[in-house]
Coordinates of all heavy atoms in Angstrom, one line a residue:
M173 N 0.5 72.4 -6.6 CA 0.6 71.2 -7.4 C -0.7 70.7 -7.8 O -1.6 70.6 -6.9 CB 1.4 70.1 -6.6 CG 2.8 70.5 -6.2 SD 3.6 69.2 -5.2 CE 3.8 67.9 -6.4
L174 N -0.9 70.4 -9.0 CA -2.2 69.9 -9.5 C -2.1 68.3 -9.7 O -1.1 67.8 -10.2 CB -2.5 70.5 -10.9 CG -2.8 72.0 -10.8 CD1 -3.0 72.5 -12.3 CD2 -3.9 72.4 -9.9
F175 N -3.2 67.7 -9.3 CA -3.3 66.3 -9.5 C -4.6 65.9 -10.1 O -5.7 66.5 -9.7 CB -3.2 65.6 -8.1 CG -1.9 65.7 -7.4 CD1 -1.6 66.8 -6.6 CD2 -0.9 64.8 -7.6 CE1 -0.4 67.0 -6.0 CE2 0.3 64.9 -7.0 CZ 0.6 66.0 -6.2
H176 N -4.6 65.0 -11.1 CA -5.8 64.4 -11.6 C -6.1 63.1 -10.8 O -5.2 62.3 -10.7 CB -5.5 64.0 -13.1 CG -6.5 63.2 -13.8 ND1 -6.6 61.8 -13.6 CD2 -7.5 63.5 -14.6 CE1 -7.6 61.4 -14.3 NE2 -8.2 62.4 -15.0
V177 N -7.3 63.0 -10.3 CA -7.6 61.9 -9.4 C -8.9 61.2 -9.8 O -9.9 61.9 -10.0 CB -7.7 62.3 -7.9 CG1 -8.1 61.2 -7.0 CG2 -6.5 63.1 -7.4
R178 N -8.8 59.9 -10.1 CA -10.0 59.2 -10.4 C -10.3 58.3 -9.1 O -9.5 57.7 -8.6 CB -9.8 58.2 -11.5 CG -11.1 57.4 -11.8 CD -11.0 56.5 -12.9 NE -12.2 55.6 -12.9 CZ -12.9 55.3 -14.0 NH1 -12.5 55.7 -15.2 NH2 -14.0 54.5 -13.9
M179 N -11.6 58.4 -8.7 CA -12.1 57.7 -7.5 C -13.3 56.8 -8.0 O -14.2 57.3 -8.5 CB -12.6 58.7 -6.4 CG -11.4 59.5 -5.9 SD -12.1 60.7 -4.7 CE -11.6 62.2 -5.5
D180 N -13.1 55.5 -7.7 CA -14.2 54.6 -8.0 C -14.7 54.1 -6.6 O -13.9 53.5 -5.9 CB -13.7 53.4 -8.8 CG -13.2 53.8 -10.2 OD1 -13.9 54.5 -10.9 OD2 -12.0 53.6 -10.5
V181 N -16.0 54.3 -6.4 CA -16.5 53.9 -5.1 C -17.2 52.5 -5.2 O -17.9 52.2 -6.1 CB -17.6 54.9 -4.6 CG1 -18.2 54.5 -3.3 CG2 -17.0 56.3 -4.6
R182 N -16.9 51.7 -4.2 CA -17.4 50.3 -4.1 C -17.9 50.0 -2.8 O -17.3 49.4 -1.9 CB -16.3 49.3 -4.5 CG -15.6 49.7 -5.8 CD -15.0 48.5 -6.5 NE -14.2 48.8 -7.7 CZ -14.6 49.4 -8.8 NH1 -15.8 49.8 -8.9 NH2 -13.8 49.7 -9.8
L183 N -19.2 50.5 -2.5 CA -19.8 50.2 -1.2 C -20.3 48.8 -1.2 O -20.8 48.3 -2.2 CB -21.0 51.2 -1.0 CG -20.6 52.7 -0.8 CD1 -21.8 53.5 -0.8 CD2 -19.8 52.8 0.5
P184 N -20.3 48.1 -0.1 CA -20.8 46.8 0.0 C -22.3 46.8 -0.2 O -23.0 47.6 0.2 CB -20.5 46.3 1.5 CG -19.5 47.3 2.0 CD -19.6 48.6 1.2
S185 N -22.8 45.8 -1.0 CA -24.2 45.7 -1.3 C -25.1 45.5 -0.1 O -26.2 45.8 -0.1 CB -24.5 44.6 -2.4 OG -24.0 43.4 -1.9
D186 N -24.5 44.9 0.9 CA -25.3 44.6 2.1 C -25.1 45.7 3.2 O -25.5 45.5 4.4 CB -24.9 43.3 2.7 CG -23.4 43.1 3.1 OD1 -22.6 44.0 2.7 OD2 -23.1 42.2 3.8
M187 N -24.5 46.8 2.9 CA -24.3 47.9 3.8 C -25.7 48.4 4.3 O -26.6 48.6 3.5 CB -23.5 49.1 3.2 CG -23.3 50.2 4.2 SD -22.3 51.6 3.4 CE -20.7 51.0 3.9
D188 N -25.8 48.6 5.6 CA -27.1 49.1 6.2 C -27.4 50.5 5.5 O -26.5 51.3 5.5 CB -26.9 49.3 7.7 CG -28.1 49.8 8.4 OD1 -28.3 51.0 8.4 OD2 -28.9 49.0 8.9
P189 N -28.6 50.7 5.1 CA -29.0 51.9 4.4 C -28.8 53.2 5.3 O -28.4 54.2 4.7 CB -30.5 51.7 4.1 CG -30.7 50.2 4.1 CD -29.7 49.7 5.1
S190 N -29.0 53.1 6.6 CA -28.7 54.2 7.4 C -27.2 54.6 7.5 O -26.8 55.7 7.6 CB -29.4 54.1 8.8 OG -28.8 53.0 9.5
V191 N -26.4 53.5 7.6 CA -25.0 53.7 7.6 C -24.5 54.3 6.3 O -23.7 55.3 6.2 CB -24.2 52.4 7.9 CG1 -22.7 52.6 7.7 CG2 -24.5 51.9 9.2
R192 N -25.1 53.8 5.2 CA -24.7 54.4 3.8 C -25.1 55.8 3.7 O -24.3 56.7 3.3 CB -25.5 53.5 2.8 CG -25.2 54.1 1.4 CD -26.1 53.3 0.3 NE -26.1 54.0 -0.9 CZ -25.3 53.6 -2.0 NH1 -24.6 52.5 -1.9 NH2 -25.4 54.2 -3.1
A193 N -26.3 56.2 4.2 CA -26.8 57.6 4.1 C -25.9 58.5 4.9 O -25.6 59.6 4.5 CB -28.2 57.6 4.6
D194 N -25.5 58.0 6.1 CA -24.6 58.8 6.9 C -23.3 59.0 6.3 O -22.8 60.2 6.3 CB -24.4 58.1 8.3 CG -23.5 58.9 9.2 OD1 -23.8 60.0 9.6 OD2 -22.4 58.3 9.5
I195 N -22.6 58.0 5.8 CA -21.3 58.1 5.2 C -21.3 59.0 3.9 O -20.4 59.8 3.7 CB -20.7 56.7 5.0 CG1 -19.1 56.9 4.8 CG2 -21.3 56.0 3.8 CD1 -18.4 55.5 4.8
V196 N -22.4 58.9 3.1 CA -22.5 59.7 1.9 C -22.7 61.1 2.3 O -22.1 62.0 1.7 CB -23.6 59.1 1.0 CG1 -24.0 60.1 -0.1 CG2 -23.2 57.8 0.4
A197 N -23.5 61.4 3.3 CA -23.7 62.8 3.8 C -22.4 63.4 4.3 O -22.1 64.6 4.0 CB -24.8 62.9 4.9
R198 N -21.6 62.6 5.1 CA -20.4 63.1 5.6 C -19.4 63.4 4.4 O -18.6 64.3 4.4 CB -19.8 62.2 6.6 CG -20.6 62.2 7.9 CD -19.9 61.4 9.0 NE -19.9 60.0 8.8 CZ -18.8 59.2 8.6 NH1 -17.6 59.7 8.7 NH2 -19.0 57.9 8.3
E199 N -19.4 62.5 3.4 CA -18.5 62.6 2.3 C -18.9 63.9 1.5 O -17.9 64.7 1.1 CB -18.7 61.4 1.3 CG -17.9 61.5 0.1 CD -16.5 60.9 0.3 OE1 -16.2 60.4 1.3 OE2 -15.7 61.1 -0.7
K200 N -20.1 64.2 1.3 CA -20.5 65.4 0.6 C -20.1 66.7 1.4 O -19.5 67.6 0.8 CB -22.1 65.4 0.5 CG -22.6 66.6 -0.3 CD -24.1 66.5 -0.5 CE -24.6 67.7 -1.4 NZ -26.0 67.6 -1.7
A201 N -20.3 66.7 2.7 CA -19.9 67.8 3.5 C -18.4 68.1 3.4 O -17.9 69.2 3.3 CB -20.3 67.7 4.9
Y202 N -17.6 67.0 3.6 CA -16.1 67.1 3.5 C -15.7 67.6 2.1 O -14.8 68.5 2.0 CB -15.5 65.7 3.9 CG -14.0 65.7 3.9 CD1 -13.3 66.3 4.9 CD2 -13.3 65.0 2.9 CE1 -11.9 66.2 5.0 CE2 -11.9 64.9 2.9 CZ -11.2 65.5 4.0 OH -9.9 65.4 4.0
S203 N -16.2 67.0 1.1 CA -15.8 67.4 -0.3 C -16.1 68.8 -0.6 O -15.4 69.5 -1.2 CB -16.3 66.4 -1.3 OG -17.7 66.6 -1.5
Q204 N -17.3 69.3 -0.1 CA -17.7 70.6 -0.4 C -16.8 71.6 0.4 O -16.5 72.7 -0.1 CB -19.2 70.8 -0.1 CG -20.0 70.2 -1.1 CD -21.5 70.3 -0.9 OE1 -22.0 70.6 0.2 NE2 -22.3 70.0 -1.9
K205 N -16.4 71.2 1.6 CA -15.5 72.1 2.4 C -14.2 72.2 1.6 O -13.7 73.4 1.5 CB -15.2 71.4 3.7 CG -14.2 72.1 4.6 CD -13.9 71.3 5.9 CE -12.8 71.9 6.7 NZ -11.5 71.6 6.1
L206 N -13.6 71.1 1.1 CA -12.4 71.2 0.3 C -12.6 72.0 -1.0 O -11.6 72.7 -1.4 CB -11.9 69.8 0.0 CG -11.5 68.9 1.2 CD1 -11.1 67.6 0.7 CD2 -10.3 69.6 2.0
Q207 N -13.7 71.9 -1.6 CA -14.0 72.7 -2.8 C -14.0 74.2 -2.4 O -13.4 75.0 -3.1 CB -15.3 72.3 -3.4 CG -15.2 70.9 -4.1 CD -16.6 70.4 -4.5 OE1 -17.2 71.0 -5.4 NE2 -17.1 69.4 -3.9
R208 N -14.7 74.6 -1.4 CA -14.8 76.0 -0.9 C -13.4 76.5 -0.6 O -13.1 77.7 -0.8 CB -15.7 76.2 0.3 CG -17.2 76.1 -0.1 CD -18.1 76.5 1.0 NE -18.0 75.6 2.2 CZ -18.7 74.5 2.3 NH1 -19.5 74.1 1.3 NH2 -18.6 73.7 3.3
E209 N -12.5 75.7 -0.1 CA -11.1 76.1 0.3 C -10.2 76.2 -0.9 O -9.1 76.6 -0.8 CB -10.5 75.1 1.3 CG -11.2 75.1 2.6 CD -10.7 74.0 3.6 OE1 -9.9 73.1 3.1 OE2 -11.1 74.0 4.7
G210 N -10.7 75.7 -2.1 CA -9.9 75.8 -3.3 C -9.0 74.6 -3.5 O -8.2 74.6 -4.5
K211 N -9.0 73.7 -2.6 CA -8.1 72.5 -2.8 C -8.7 71.5 -3.7 O -8.0 70.6 -4.2 CB -7.9 71.8 -1.4 CG -7.2 72.8 -0.4 CD -7.1 72.1 1.0 CE -6.5 73.1 1.9 NZ -5.0 73.2 1.7
W212 N -10.0 71.5 -4.0 CA -10.6 70.6 -4.9 C -11.4 71.4 -5.9 O -12.7 71.5 -5.9 CB -11.6 69.7 -4.1 CG -12.1 68.4 -4.7 CD1 -12.2 68.2 -6.1 CD2 -12.6 67.3 -4.1 NE1 -12.7 66.9 -6.3 CE2 -13.0 66.4 -5.0 CE3 -12.7 67.0 -2.7 CZ2 -13.5 65.1 -4.7 CZ3 -13.3 65.7 -2.4 CH2 -13.7 64.8 -3.4
P213 N -10.7 72.1 -6.9 CA -11.4 73.0 -7.8 C -12.3 72.4 -8.9 O -13.1 73.1 -9.4 CB -10.3 73.8 -8.4 CG -9.1 72.9 -8.3 CD -9.3 72.1 -7.0
H214 N -12.1 71.1 -9.2 CA -12.9 70.5 -10.2 C -13.3 69.1 -9.8 O -12.5 68.3 -9.3 CB -12.1 70.4 -11.5 CG -11.7 71.7 -12.1 ND1 -12.6 72.6 -12.7 CD2 -10.5 72.3 -12.0 CE1 -11.9 73.7 -13.0 NE2 -10.7 73.6 -12.6
L215 N -14.6 68.8 -10.1 CA -15.2 67.5 -9.7 C -16.2 67.1 -10.7 O -17.2 67.9 -10.9 CB -15.8 67.6 -8.3 CG -16.7 66.4 -7.8 CD1 -15.8 65.2 -7.7 CD2 -17.3 66.8 -6.4
W216 N -16.0 66.0 -11.4 CA -17.0 65.5 -12.4 C -17.4 64.1 -12.2 O -16.5 63.2 -11.9 CB -16.3 65.6 -13.8 CG -16.0 66.9 -14.3 CD1 -16.8 67.9 -14.9 CD2 -14.7 67.6 -14.2 NE1 -16.2 69.0 -15.2 CE2 -14.9 68.9 -14.8 CE3 -13.5 67.2 -13.8 CZ2 -13.8 69.7 -14.9 CZ3 -12.4 68.1 -13.8 CH2 -12.6 69.3 -14.4
R217 N -18.6 63.8 -12.3 CA -19.2 62.4 -12.2 C -18.8 61.7 -13.6 O -18.9 62.3 -14.6 CB -20.7 62.5 -12.0 CG -21.4 61.2 -12.2 CD -21.3 60.2 -11.1 NE -21.8 60.7 -9.9 CZ -21.4 60.4 -8.7 NH1 -20.3 59.6 -8.5 NH2 -21.9 60.9 -7.6
I218 N -18.5 60.5 -13.5 CA -18.3 59.7 -14.7 C -19.7 59.0 -15.0 O -20.2 58.3 -14.1 CB -17.2 58.6 -14.5 CG1 -15.9 59.3 -14.3 CG2 -17.1 57.7 -15.8 CD1 -14.7 58.4 -13.9
V219 N -20.2 59.3 -16.2 CA -21.6 58.8 -16.5 C -21.7 57.3 -16.4 O -20.8 56.6 -16.9 CB -21.9 59.3 -18.0 CG1 -23.3 58.7 -18.4 CG2 -21.9 60.8 -18.1
G220 N -22.7 56.9 -15.7 CA -23.0 55.5 -15.5 C -22.2 54.7 -14.5 O -22.3 53.5 -14.4
E221 N -21.4 55.4 -13.7 CA -20.6 54.8 -12.7 C -20.7 55.5 -11.4 O -21.0 56.7 -11.4 CB -19.1 54.8 -13.2 CG -18.8 54.0 -14.5 CD -17.4 54.0 -14.9 OE1 -16.5 54.0 -13.9 OE2 -17.1 53.9 -16.1
Y222 N -20.4 54.8 -10.3 CA -20.2 55.5 -9.0 C -18.8 55.9 -8.9 O -18.0 55.3 -8.2 CB -20.7 54.6 -7.9 CG -20.9 55.3 -6.6 CD1 -21.4 54.7 -5.5 CD2 -20.6 56.7 -6.4 CE1 -21.6 55.3 -4.3 CE2 -20.9 57.3 -5.2 CZ -21.4 56.6 -4.1 OH -21.6 57.2 -2.9
S223 N -18.4 56.9 -9.8 CA -17.0 57.3 -9.9 C -16.9 58.7 -10.2 O -17.9 59.3 -10.7 CB -16.3 56.5 -11.1 OG -16.4 55.1 -10.9
N224 N -15.7 59.3 -10.0 CA -15.5 60.7 -10.4 C -14.1 60.9 -10.9 O -13.2 60.1 -10.6 CB -15.9 61.7 -9.3 CG -14.9 61.7 -8.1 OD1 -13.8 62.2 -8.3 ND2 -15.3 61.1 -7.0
I225 N -14.0 62.0 -11.6 CA -12.7 62.5 -12.0 C -12.6 63.9 -11.3 O -13.5 64.7 -11.4 CB -12.5 62.7 -13.5 CG1 -12.6 61.4 -14.2 CG2 -11.2 63.5 -13.9 CD1 -11.4 60.5 -14.0
S226 N -11.5 64.1 -10.6 CA -11.3 65.4 -9.9 C -9.9 66.0 -10.1 O -9.0 65.2 -10.5 CB -11.4 65.1 -8.4 OG -12.7 64.7 -8.1
I227 N -9.8 67.3 -10.0 CA -8.5 68.0 -10.0 C -8.4 68.5 -8.6 O -9.3 69.2 -8.1 CB -8.5 69.1 -11.0 CG1 -8.8 68.6 -12.4 CG2 -7.2 69.8 -10.9 CD1 -7.7 67.6 -13.0
F228 N -7.2 68.2 -8.0 CA -6.9 68.7 -6.7 C -5.7 69.7 -6.9 O -4.8 69.5 -7.7 CB -6.4 67.6 -5.7 CG -7.6 66.9 -5.1 CD1 -8.2 65.8 -5.8 CD2 -8.1 67.2 -3.9 CE1 -9.2 65.1 -5.3 CE2 -9.1 66.5 -3.3 CZ -9.7 65.4 -4.1
D229 N -5.7 70.8 -6.1 CA -4.7 71.8 -6.1 C -4.2 72.0 -4.7 O -4.8 72.6 -3.9 CB -5.3 73.1 -6.6 CG -4.2 74.2 -6.9 OD1 -3.0 73.9 -6.6 OD2 -4.6 75.3 -7.3
V230 N -3.1 71.3 -4.4 CA -2.5 71.2 -3.1 C -1.0 71.5 -3.1 O -0.4 71.5 -4.2 CB -2.8 69.8 -2.5 CG1 -4.3 69.6 -2.2 CG2 -2.2 68.7 -3.3
S231 N -0.4 71.6 -2.0 CA 1.0 72.0 -1.9 C 2.0 70.8 -2.0 O 3.1 71.0 -2.3 CB 1.3 72.7 -0.6 OG 1.0 71.9 0.5
S232 N 1.5 69.6 -1.8 CA 2.4 68.4 -1.8 C 1.7 67.1 -2.0 O 0.5 67.0 -1.8 CB 3.2 68.4 -0.5 OG 2.3 68.1 0.6
N233 N 2.5 66.1 -2.3 CA 1.9 64.7 -2.3 C 1.4 64.3 -1.0 O 0.3 63.7 -0.9 CB 3.1 63.7 -2.7 CG 3.6 63.9 -4.0 OD1 2.9 64.4 -4.9 ND2 4.8 63.5 -4.3
D234 N 2.0 64.7 0.1 CA 1.6 64.4 1.4 C 0.2 65.0 1.7 O -0.6 64.4 2.4 CB 2.6 64.8 2.5 CG 3.9 63.9 2.4 OD1 3.8 62.8 2.0 OD2 4.9 64.4 2.8
E235 N 0.1 66.3 1.3 CA -1.2 66.9 1.6 C -2.3 66.2 0.8 O -3.4 66.0 1.4 CB -1.2 68.4 1.2 CG -2.5 69.1 1.5 CD -2.6 70.6 1.1 OE1 -1.6 71.1 0.4 OE2 -3.5 71.2 1.5
L236 N -2.1 65.9 -0.4 CA -3.1 65.1 -1.2 C -3.4 63.8 -0.5 O -4.6 63.5 -0.3 CB -2.6 64.9 -2.6 CG -3.6 64.1 -3.5 CD1 -4.9 64.9 -3.7 CD2 -3.0 63.7 -4.8
H237 N -2.4 63.1 -0.1 CA -2.7 61.8 0.6 C -3.5 62.1 1.9 O -4.5 61.3 2.1 CB -1.4 61.1 1.0 CG -1.6 59.8 1.7 ND1 -2.0 58.7 1.0 CD2 -1.6 59.5 3.0 CE1 -2.2 57.7 1.9 NE2 -1.9 58.2 3.1
E238 N -3.2 63.1 2.6 CA -4.0 63.4 3.8 C -5.5 63.7 3.5 O -6.4 63.2 4.2 CB -3.4 64.6 4.6 CG -4.1 65.0 5.8 CD -3.4 66.2 6.5 OE1 -2.2 66.3 6.5 OE2 -4.2 66.9 7.1
L239 N -5.7 64.5 2.5 CA -7.0 64.9 2.1 C -7.8 63.6 1.6 O -9.0 63.4 2.0 CB -7.0 66.0 1.0 CG -6.5 67.3 1.4 CD1 -6.5 68.3 0.2 CD2 -7.2 67.9 2.6
L240 N -7.2 62.8 0.8 CA -7.9 61.7 0.2 C -8.2 60.6 1.3 O -9.3 60.1 1.4 CB -7.0 61.0 -0.9 CG -6.9 61.8 -2.2 CD1 -6.0 61.1 -3.1 CD2 -8.2 62.1 -2.8
S241 N -7.2 60.4 2.2 CA -7.4 59.4 3.2 C -8.4 59.9 4.3 O -9.0 59.1 5.0 CB -6.1 59.0 3.9 OG -5.5 60.1 4.5
G242 N -8.7 61.2 4.3 CA -9.7 61.8 5.2 C -11.1 61.7 4.6 O -12.1 62.0 5.4
L243 N -11.3 61.3 3.4 CA -12.6 61.1 2.8 C -13.4 60.0 3.5 O -12.8 58.9 3.7 CB -12.5 60.7 1.3 CG -12.1 61.8 0.4 CD1 -11.7 61.2 -1.0 CD2 -13.2 62.9 0.2
P244 N -14.6 60.2 4.0 CA -15.3 59.2 4.7 C -15.5 57.9 3.8 O -15.6 56.8 4.4 CB -16.7 59.8 5.0 CG -16.3 61.3 5.2 CD -15.3 61.5 4.1
L245 N -15.6 58.0 2.5 CA -15.7 56.9 1.6 C -14.4 56.2 1.3 O -14.3 55.2 0.6 CB -16.4 57.2 0.3 CG -17.9 57.5 0.5 CD1 -18.5 58.1 -0.8 CD2 -18.7 56.2 0.9
F246 N -13.3 56.8 1.8 CA -11.9 56.3 1.4 C -11.8 54.8 1.6 O -11.2 54.1 0.7 CB -10.9 57.0 2.3 CG -9.5 56.6 2.0 CD1 -8.8 57.0 0.9 CD2 -8.8 55.7 2.9 CE1 -7.5 56.6 0.6 CE2 -7.5 55.3 2.6 CZ -6.8 55.8 1.5
P247 N -12.3 54.1 2.6 CA -12.1 52.7 2.8 C -12.8 51.9 1.7 O -12.5 50.7 1.5 CB -12.7 52.3 4.1 CG -12.8 53.6 4.9 CD -12.9 54.7 3.8
Y248 N -13.7 52.5 0.9 CA -14.5 51.9 -0.1 C -14.1 52.3 -1.5 O -14.8 52.1 -2.5 CB -16.0 52.1 0.1 CG -16.4 51.8 1.5 CD1 -16.6 52.8 2.5 CD2 -16.6 50.4 1.9 CE1 -17.0 52.4 3.8 CE2 -17.0 50.1 3.2 CZ -17.2 51.1 4.1 OH -17.6 50.8 5.4
M249 N -13.0 53.0 -1.6 CA -12.6 53.6 -2.9 C -11.3 52.9 -3.5 O -10.4 52.5 -2.8 CB -12.2 55.0 -2.8 CG -13.4 55.9 -2.5 SD -12.8 57.6 -2.4 CE -14.3 58.5 -2.4
D250 N -11.3 52.8 -4.8 CA -10.1 52.6 -5.6 C -9.7 53.9 -6.2 O -10.6 54.6 -6.8 CB -10.4 51.6 -6.7 CG -10.7 50.2 -6.2 OD1 -10.2 49.8 -5.2 OD2 -11.6 49.5 -6.9
I251 N -8.5 54.4 -5.9 CA -8.1 55.7 -6.3 C -6.9 55.6 -7.1 O -5.9 54.9 -6.8 CB -7.8 56.6 -5.0 CG1 -9.1 56.7 -4.2 CG2 -7.3 58.0 -5.4 CD1 -8.9 57.4 -2.9
R252 N -6.9 56.4 -8.2 CA -5.7 56.5 -9.1 C -5.3 58.0 -9.2 O -6.2 58.8 -9.5 CB -6.0 55.9 -10.5 CG -6.1 54.4 -10.4 CD -6.3 53.9 -11.8 NE -7.7 54.3 -12.2 CZ -8.5 53.7 -13.0 NH1 -8.1 52.6 -13.6 NH2 -9.6 54.2 -13.3
V253 N -4.1 58.3 -9.0 CA -3.6 59.7 -8.9 C -2.6 59.9 -10.1 O -1.7 59.1 -10.2 CB -2.9 60.0 -7.6 CG1 -2.3 61.4 -7.6 CG2 -4.0 59.9 -6.5
M254 N -2.7 61.0 -10.8 CA -1.7 61.4 -11.8 C -1.3 62.8 -11.5 O -2.1 63.7 -11.6 CB -2.3 61.3 -13.2 CG -2.6 59.9 -13.6 SD -3.1 59.8 -15.4 CE -4.8 60.3 -15.2
P255 N 0.0 63.0 -11.2 CA 0.5 64.4 -11.0 C 0.4 65.1 -12.4 O 0.7 64.5 -13.4 CB 1.9 64.3 -10.6 CG 2.1 62.8 -10.2 CD 1.0 62.1 -10.9
L256 N 0.1 66.4 -12.4 CA 0.0 67.2 -13.6 C 1.1 68.3 -13.7 O 1.5 68.8 -12.7 CB -1.4 67.9 -13.7 CG -2.5 66.9 -13.7 CD1 -3.9 67.7 -13.7 CD2 -2.5 66.0 -14.9
A257 N 1.6 68.5 -14.9 CA 2.5 69.6 -15.1 C 2.0 70.5 -16.3 O 1.3 70.1 -17.1 CB 3.9 69.0 -15.5
T258 N 2.5 71.7 -16.3 CA 2.1 72.6 -17.3 C 2.6 72.2 -18.7 O 3.8 71.7 -18.8 CB 2.7 74.0 -17.1 OG1 2.3 74.5 -15.8 CG2 2.3 75.0 -18.1
H259 N 1.7 72.2 -19.7 CA 2.1 71.8 -21.0 C 2.8 72.9 -21.7 O 2.3 74.1 -21.7 CB 0.9 71.4 -21.8 CG 1.2 70.6 -23.0 ND1 1.6 71.2 -24.2 CD2 1.1 69.3 -23.3 CE1 1.8 70.3 -25.1 NE2 1.5 69.1 -24.6
P260 N 3.9 72.7 -22.5 CA 4.6 73.8 -23.1 C 3.8 74.5 -24.2 O 4.2 75.6 -24.6 CB 5.9 73.1 -23.7 CG 5.5 71.6 -23.7 CD 4.5 71.4 -22.7
S261 N 2.8 73.8 -24.7 CA 2.0 74.5 -25.8 C 0.8 75.2 -25.2 O 0.0 75.8 -26.0 CB 1.5 73.4 -26.8 OG 2.6 72.8 -27.4
K262 N 0.6 75.3 -23.9 CA -0.5 76.0 -23.3 C -0.4 77.5 -23.5 O 0.6 78.1 -23.3 CB -0.6 75.7 -21.8 CG -1.8 76.3 -21.1 CD -1.7 76.1 -19.6 CE -2.9 76.7 -18.9 NZ -2.9 78.2 -19.0
V263 N -1.5 78.0 -24.0 CA -1.6 79.5 -24.1 C -1.9 80.1 -22.8 O -2.8 79.7 -22.1 CB -2.7 79.9 -25.1 CG1 -2.9 81.4 -25.2 CG2 -2.5 79.3 -26.5
S264 N -1.1 81.1 -22.4 CA -1.3 81.7 -21.1 C -2.5 82.7 -21.1 O -2.8 83.3 -22.0 CB 0.0 82.5 -20.7 OG 1.1 81.7 -20.7

């Protein structure tokens, strides 16, 4: 199942810089693991924002929820999910 996911990160402005660096490093490691596994095949930065657009390829809604809630930055994110379906005009 494919999902289009927009993630907007909103870290507190008063977050300790060492805590911020740690959480961002853990986020990068976790996201790259999911990319290598093929569960997160596309990841794009939105210009001028601390946001991204991603495509996830997972087996279920529950798996997507588990992966997203496992993101170290999850508590600081606004996330919007759109399930995707094959378009009938798509060339194979």
Side-chain angles (χ1 to χ4, degrees):
M173 298 175 72
L174 296 176
F175 294 89
H176 170 281
V177 180
R178 178 177 173 141
M179 295 178 242
D180 299 303
V181 181
R182 307 210 189 292
L183 292 174
S185 59
D186 61 348
M187 180 178 269
D188 180 275
S190 64
V191 171
R192 178 187 169 102
D194 176 66
I195 197 169
V196 169
R198 289 186 294 117
E199 180 82 9
K200 182 176 183 178
Y202 181 73
S203 69
Q204 288 179 343
K205 174 185 175 287
L206 295 177
Q207 290 172 65
R208 284 190 295 276
E209 292 173 354
K211 295 176 185 286
W212 196 337
H214 300 283
L215 172 60
W216 296 277
R217 168 76 62 211
I218 299 173
V219 175
E221 299 181 30
Y222 194 176
S223 303
N224 74 72
I225 297 290
S226 296
I227 302 295
F228 283 82
D229 188 358
V230 295
S231 62
S232 67
N233 295 335
D234 291 333
E235 182 182 10
L236 179 63
H237 180 76
E238 180 180 326
L239 296 179
L240 293 176
S241 62
L243 290 165
L245 287 172
F246 180 77
Y248 307 102
M249 289 182 172
D250 294 324
I251 299 175
R252 289 180 294 208
V253 175
M254 290 185 285
L256 301 173
T258 303
H259 196 283
S261 298
K262 180 184 181 296
V263 175
S264 302

